[in-house]
Amino acid sequence: MNVAIFAFCIFAAILEPCASVIISRCDLAKGLLDRGIPRHQLNDWVCMAEGESGRNTRAIGSMNSDGSKDYGIFQINSKYWCQGEKSIANICGLQCTELLTDLLDPSTACAKIVYSRHGFNAWYAWSTKCKYKDLRFYTAGCYFDEDMKNIVPPIWDAPINFTTDTEDKFYTQFITTFDSLPPEYELYSFQRSSYNCTTAISSTIWICYKYEFVFKRIVLPHVLLVFLPSALLVIISWISFWLDIGMGAPRVALGLTSLLTLSTQLNAAEAKLPAVATMKALDIWMFVCIFMVFSSLLVFGFSYACAEIKKEEENNIANQNRLPQQKRKTLRQLAYSVSLVSLQIS
């Protein structure tokens, strides 16, 4: 029994450094800030850690060409900075295996030494994935201690700008000043909840508050101002089908007027909507309406061309029927002239 327990402990000790622990971007940023990393460098540090190890605190890189390896979330090299494979120096003064821990203290302390001598260029991932790039999204949505002092909810441009000491005061003032919704929306439901979001790498106790808003779009204004007028314009364009085929000018004018009106209506509706790259239901509706009006013009053009062809054929047939009659009349006149000449001779 003791032998089995001893073997299990040895097996667990061997596997423990290999367990993968991925830290979220916000937790990593908070941990680095608590350990002296300047606020304006957090995006670079998080980007570098993500590029080097995928934010894995127990990552061990593959063997380099010189036989050394990289350890920890910041992939500290064993040749110069820690005691490990092919070490010729131990500038950080620690074993490389000490970097394989969920606590960021050893890795951060050693990484700060590396940064003080070589800057971020010491990490290849930072040079290829982070340098000269916009890194603000790496800590977007992360809230730090100083951020909790002045909370301005980012919901449109609501006139909410105050300092709060407690969340209850913030909640009360937020609800009483929440009155700047766009006119086409209404607040359908609202729910508040709180939970403990303290992490293992942070020494600060974090209480997170979650706000869930459900908005309902008011459909009636869109129906009255967009869908119904566009449908009426399409119906009006169909009036040209009841006009005589020869009335080309009014039929073309009616179709073009409807087409231009729909285009103007589409531009006015799009100006009130956010610019997105995806297809919206309004785009499909307006495209169908414009296509139907355009089709009515095509139908008129085709019908007018067919009518002209038919008219020309009828004229040709009439001319062909008229030609024999003219020939018979000419022969009768010729015969009459011949008879007169014969009488005169006799």
Side-chain angles (χ1 to χ4, degrees):
M1 183 66 179
N2 294 332
V3 175
I5 295 176
F6 179 73
F8 175 78
C9 293
I10 294 177
F11 183 72
I14 294 174
L15 290 182
E16 192 274 335
C18 301
S20 176
V21 178
I22 307 299
I23 302 179
S24 67
R25 290 176 176 176
C26 290
D27 289 341
L28 178 59
K30 294 173 185 177
L32 293 174
L33 187 63
D34 292 340
R35 288 160 180 81
I37 299 298
R39 177 72 177 271
H40 66 277
Q41 292 183 357
L42 290 179
N43 290 317
D44 290 278
W45 282 93
V46 174
C47 177
M48 180 265 291
E50 186 166 320
E52 288 286 347
S53 64
R55 292 179 274 107
N56 184 0
T57 59
R58 304 186 184 185
I60 301 177
S62 57
M63 185 172 294
N64 299 316
S65 58
D66 58 359
S68 63
K69 288 186 178 181
D70 301 325
Y71 287 83
I73 190 171
F74 300 118
Q75 292 292 277
I76 306 298
N77 188 260
S78 63
K79 188 173 183 179
Y80 300 103
W81 307 102
C82 61
Q83 187 64 39
E85 291 83 0
K86 300 294 182 177
S87 294
I88 61 176
N90 186 3
I91 300 176
C92 293
L94 46 75
Q95 296 291 327
C96 292
T97 53
E98 296 181 39
L99 301 173
L100 305 177
T101 176
D102 299 342
L103 299 177
L104 293 177
D105 298 273
S107 297
T108 305
C110 188
K112 289 169 69 175
I113 296 175
V114 178
Y115 175 80
S116 64
R117 298 195 178 189
H118 303 286
F120 286 114
N121 291 317
W123 288 276
Y124 178 76
W126 182 87
S127 301
T128 57
K129 299 181 180 180
C130 309
K131 191 175 182 180
Y132 304 129
K133 296 182 180 180
D134 186 4
L135 308 178
R136 289 176 293 180
F137 66 91
Y138 278 96
T139 57
C142 302
Y143 293 96
F144 306 98
D145 287 334
E146 56 268 26
D147 296 331
M148 305 305 292
K149 297 178 182 178
N150 295 285
I151 302 177
V152 180
I155 301 179
W156 291 284
D157 293 324
I160 307 173
N161 189 3
F162 54 86
T163 301
T164 178
D165 297 328
T166 63
E167 196 277 335
D168 290 332
K169 181 180 178 182
F170 163 73
Y171 172 73
T172 303
Q173 296 189 19
F174 180 79
I175 294 300
T176 56
T177 56
F178 190 72
D179 57 356
S180 294
L181 280 175
E184 66 269 19
Y185 293 95
E186 63 178 354
L187 183 60
Y188 184 74
S189 64
F190 171 71
Q191 185 177 2
R192 178 187 64 162
S193 60
S194 61
Y195 58 94
N196 188 348
C197 55
T198 304
T199 60
I201 64 172
S202 177
S203 59
T204 305
I205 298 177
W206 294 87
I207 302 297
C208 295
Y209 291 90
K210 182 179 180 181
Y211 296 82
E212 295 182 1
F213 301 91
V214 178
F215 298 99
K216 183 178 180 181
R217 185 188 297 272
I218 303 176
V219 182
L220 184 59
H222 295 279
V223 174
L224 295 178
L225 299 178
V226 178
F227 292 99
L228 185 59
S230 58
L232 292 177
L233 285 173
V234 173
I235 296 174
I236 289 175
S237 67
W238 293 344
I239 296 178
S240 62
F241 296 139
W242 280 271
L243 299 179
D244 186 76
I245 193 66
M247 303 176 63
R251 295 186 68 168
V252 172
L254 182 60
L256 289 178
T257 302
S258 301
L259 192 62
L260 294 175
T261 305
L262 282 174
S263 300
T264 304
Q265 188 181 23
L266 175 60
N267 293 332
E270 289 288 345
K272 299 178 182 179
L273 298 176
V276 295
T278 57
M279 183 71 69
K280 301 184 291 293
L282 178 63
D283 299 333
I284 299 175
W285 170 265
M286 296 301 295
F287 173 78
V288 171
C289 292
I290 292 175
F291 179 77
M292 294 181 72
V293 175
F294 178 73
S295 299
S296 67
L297 287 174
L298 290 181
V299 170
F300 166 69
F302 180 76
S303 302
Y304 186 81
C306 292
E308 289 295 321
I309 293 174
K310 184 177 180 181
K311 184 178 180 180
E312 184 177 356
E313 291 178 352
E314 291 176 351
N315 292 335
N316 292 334
I317 294 174
N319 292 332
Q320 291 176 1
N321 294 333
R322 192 180 301 112
L323 183 60
Q325 295 178 0
Q326 292 178 352
K327 288 182 178 180
R328 286 194 296 270
K329 184 177 180 180
T330 303
L331 290 175
R332 285 197 300 269
Q333 292 177 353
L334 181 60
Y336 179 73
S337 300
V338 171
S339 62
L340 289 177
V341 171
S342 300
L343 289 174
Q344 292 177 357
I345 294 174
S346 60

